[in-house]
Every structure is written in C-alpha cells, then in structure tokens.
Amino acid sequence: MRNSIVLTIVFFTFSICFSKGQIPGHRLFSNSKIHEIKIISLYEALTDTLTANYVLSFGIGQMQIRDVPYAPALLMIDGTAMDTLGIRYKGFNSWWSSVKKPIKIDLNKYKKDQKYDGLSKFNLHNGSGDPSFIRENISYSILRSLGIKAPRTSYARVSIDTTYLGLYRIVEQVD
C-alpha cells in the first residue's frame, strides 16, 4: 500500500513537471531570471530603419490601418540564436512619449515555422506610463489567477547591436 502511494506521488510529480515543460513559452515567461535579448542588424542603422518605418506608416491613408513594416534582423535570446526574423516598433503613446521604444518581434516574418520556446511572436513593452514597471505583470497575473485569459510576462535586458536599450517587459502576443 505504501509503495503504491509513493509511486502515485512520484508519477503525479513527474507528470506535472513534464506537462509544464511542454507549454509553449514556458522558458521565455519564466520569471526566475531576467532574460538577455540581443537584436542584431542585418544591415546598417537598424534603429534608423525602424524609426523611419514607424513614422512613414502615418502617411496618407495609413492612419486607419497602421501597417508598420517589419525590418529583417537576427536575434539571440539567452544565448540561443534565431535566424532572420521581423522586427518593428509598436504602440502609439508609448512610442511617442518614450526614448525607449516598444518592439514587436515576429519570428515567422521571413522564415516560416520558426519558433522560440514554441512561440512565433512576442512583444517587448517599454514600461511607458508605468514607473514601477510591475503593474502590468501584477494585473495580468491577477486576471490569470481568476481564470481570465491574459498574456504572460517576464523581463529582459534588450540591446540592438552594441547599444543597450534597457530593461523591457516581454509580453505574450495574443492572437
């Protein structure tokens, strides 16, 4: 009887650990560490290209659709290299009111079926309007604890080439 209880507990523990490891984004949205994200330019002046793409998307007829073009780049997440992907600035108030620009990353923009930790898109929020840089994490966590679907979050130090941009919040892309 005792052996069967021990085996049941061990099996249950392993099944929980195994199932958690299979959830897409389990590593990326782990808050056990601050992740390291390095964006690497494929061409010169990626920051200038991102800014031009964003500002030009406000052209005539663009205000309604806001189709901001992506720029190709390489990505390193915690030492794992990702091949050519799409990157662009995002947001409106958070973009105009901050030196640190919010970023959208689409791993499938140029190479199909490319994923990191089971995810094909995620966002880097700049914390504009949240000086504590924790309100969004807490509110999403509360919503998830109440059974309401909300994006997962974690933190990352972000740089483009050799320029350190600062601390960002990684936010799950909701499709």
Side-chain angles (χ1 to χ4, degrees):
M1 177 75 170
R2 181 184 251 187
N3 287 342
S4 64
I5 292 173
V6 170
L7 285 174
T8 303
I9 292 171
V10 169
F11 176 75
F12 183 70
T13 304
F14 277 116
S15 65
I16 289 173
C17 292
F18 182 73
S19 66
K20 281 193 170 214
Q22 299 303 313
I23 298 171
H26 179 69
R27 281 183 295 153
L28 188 61
F29 297 112
S30 165
N31 282 304
S32 62
K33 69 175 185 174
I34 296 176
H35 300 280
E36 188 74 34
I37 296 179
K38 295 179 182 180
I39 301 165
I40 302 154
S41 302
L42 287 175
Y43 310 106
E44 290 184 36
L46 178 61
T47 306
D48 293 339
T49 301
L50 294 173
T51 301
N53 286 350
Y54 185 85
V55 173
L56 290 174
S57 71
F58 284 97
I60 297 172
Q62 290 288 346
M63 279 304 281
Q64 299 304 318
I65 57 171
R66 293 282 301 125
D67 189 19
V68 180
Y70 284 86
L74 302 176
L75 190 71
M76 296 259 317
I77 304 173
D78 295 330
T80 301
M82 302 295 301
D83 205 352
T84 308
L85 53 93
I87 180 173
R88 71 175 180 89
Y89 285 145
K90 63 179 278 306
F92 186 76
N93 287 338
S94 60
W95 191 88
W96 292 103
S97 65
S98 179
V99 173
K100 186 170 69 170
K101 307 301 183 193
I103 299 169
K104 181 176 287 289
I105 296 175
D106 184 350
L107 301 174
N108 287 329
K109 186 65 182 174
Y110 299 106
K111 301 262 183 172
K112 298 299 176 201
D113 299 323
Q114 184 170 229
K115 293 186 185 296
Y116 176 80
D117 196 18
L119 301 169
S120 58
K121 284 185 182 179
F122 59 91
N123 300 298
L124 299 173
H125 289 190
N126 60 356
S128 174
D130 181 7
S132 69
F133 214 61
I134 197 165
R135 292 179 191 157
E136 191 173 8
N137 292 39
I138 291 171
S139 61
Y140 287 156
S141 179
I142 290 170
L143 290 171
R144 285 192 306 274
S145 72
L146 295 172
I148 300 169
K149 292 185 179 187
R152 294 171 290 171
T153 60
S154 62
Y155 293 102
R157 289 182 298 271
V158 178
S159 61
I160 293 182
D161 295 325
T162 58
T163 305
Y164 176 67
L165 301 179
L167 184 68
Y168 277 76
R169 181 180 302 109
I170 306 171
V171 180
E172 184 174 22
Q173 172 68 36
V174 178
D175 287 331

